[in-house]
């Protein structure tokens, strides 16, 4: 198994012309702005793209990015388990944008969605408030909803994974169609 490395935004900017950049965020997040030339292969579809990513890695360096670095680290781990050497961008597209670098958006201005972290915060907060409200107005047992979300957040922090994000990624506005992924993989195969 290969060990993924991390590139700083400075290293990435200097090497961007030689990197194949794969953005593992949801299509909606990708539409909100991505590194120049990045191809969108959502994390939940990365296993389907193993052959094409391996071929890209054989041709040159592959950089995997997401919003903050957590999902790209997970993608790099999956790729490493399959013998594919990749790197991740330290701090993700958030760090890239914070340093004033351009983010590109798909042509035709597809609808961007909130970032996954923001979607998780909204969902978790809503369920906690709902559990507390129903616990006060209907029956105290509804407070278990709030306790469940709290336990999930603790588990998420300890494991650097997020089950809620995995579920939210399956919602239609966060999914890519099979045709979109096929087009992305064809573009990946066409890169030299």
């Amino acid at each position: 198994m290969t060990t993924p490395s991390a590139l700083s935004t400075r290293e990435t900017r200097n090497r961007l012309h030689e990197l194949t950049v794969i953005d593992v965020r949801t299509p909606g997040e990708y539409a909100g702005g991505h590194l120049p030339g990045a191809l969108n292969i959502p994390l939940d579809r990365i296993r389907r793209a193993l052959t094409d990513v391996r071929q890209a890695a054989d041709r040159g360096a592959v950089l995997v990015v997401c919003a903050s670095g957590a999902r790209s680290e997970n993608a790099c781990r999956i790729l490493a388990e399959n013998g594919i050497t990749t790197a991740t961008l330290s701090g993700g597209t958030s760090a890239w944008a914070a340093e004033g670098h351009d983010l590109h958006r798909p042509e035709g201005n597809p609808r961007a969605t909130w970032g996954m972290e923001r979607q998780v915060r909204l969902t978790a907060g809503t369920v906690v408030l709902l559990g507390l409200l129903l616990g006060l107005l209907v029956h105290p047992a509804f407070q278990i909803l709030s306790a469940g979300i709290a336990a999930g957040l603790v588990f998420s922090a300890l494991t650097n994974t997020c089950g809620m994000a995995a579920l939210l990624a399956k919602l239609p506005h966060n999914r890519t169609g099979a045709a979109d992924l096929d087009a992305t993989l064809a573009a990946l195969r066409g890169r030299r």
Side-chain angles (χ1 to χ4, degrees):
M1 181 166 83
T2 59
T3 304
S5 60
L7 296 180
S8 68
T9 53
R10 170 182 270 158
E11 291 170 302
T12 299
R13 186 188 69 236
N14 292 337
R15 295 184 54 200
L16 193 58
H17 65 282
E18 67 187 55
L19 296 169
T20 297
V21 182
I22 297 174
D23 191 319
V24 295
R25 296 176 300 158
T26 66
E29 291 175 292
Y30 173 82
H34 55 270
L35 270 70
L39 297 171
N40 184 221
I41 304 174
L43 179 58
D44 66 341
R45 300 286 184 95
I46 200 76
R47 290 186 193 281
R48 180 168 174 227
L50 287 173
T51 301
D52 295 306
V53 175
R54 180 176 286 110
Q55 291 171 354
D58 289 344
R59 291 189 303 266
V62 173
L63 179 70
V64 182
V65 300
C66 67
S68 65
R71 282 179 279 177
S72 61
E73 286 177 11
N74 289 337
C76 285
R77 195 172 312 113
I78 291 168
L79 295 168
E81 288 168 359
N82 287 278
I84 303 169
T85 303
T86 58
T88 184
L89 173 61
S90 295
T93 54
S94 298
W96 180 265
E99 290 195 17
H101 303 301
D102 282 344
L103 290 176
H104 290 197
R105 287 164 182 74
E107 291 181 25
N109 197 19
R111 187 178 66 111
T113 61
W114 284 358
M116 187 55 64
E117 183 181 331
R118 187 174 181 190
Q119 291 181 51
V120 167
R121 288 193 314 258
L122 174 70
T123 304
T126 301
V127 174
V128 166
L129 285 175
L130 182 64
L132 292 174
L133 219 103
L134 290 173
L136 288 172
L137 302 176
V138 179
H139 191 277
F142 279 107
Q143 293 177 354
I144 292 173
L145 286 172
S146 301
I149 293 298
L153 291 172
V154 169
F155 179 79
S156 175
L158 293 174
T159 63
N160 199 26
T161 62
C162 187
M164 187 179 290
L167 289 173
L168 291 172
K170 295 186 183 309
L171 292 175
H173 67 277
N174 285 327
R175 304 249 339 139
T176 182
D180 294 336
L181 183 59
D182 289 341
T184 298
L185 295 178
L188 181 59
R189 284 188 290 275
R191 292 207 172 172
R192 300 286 170 221

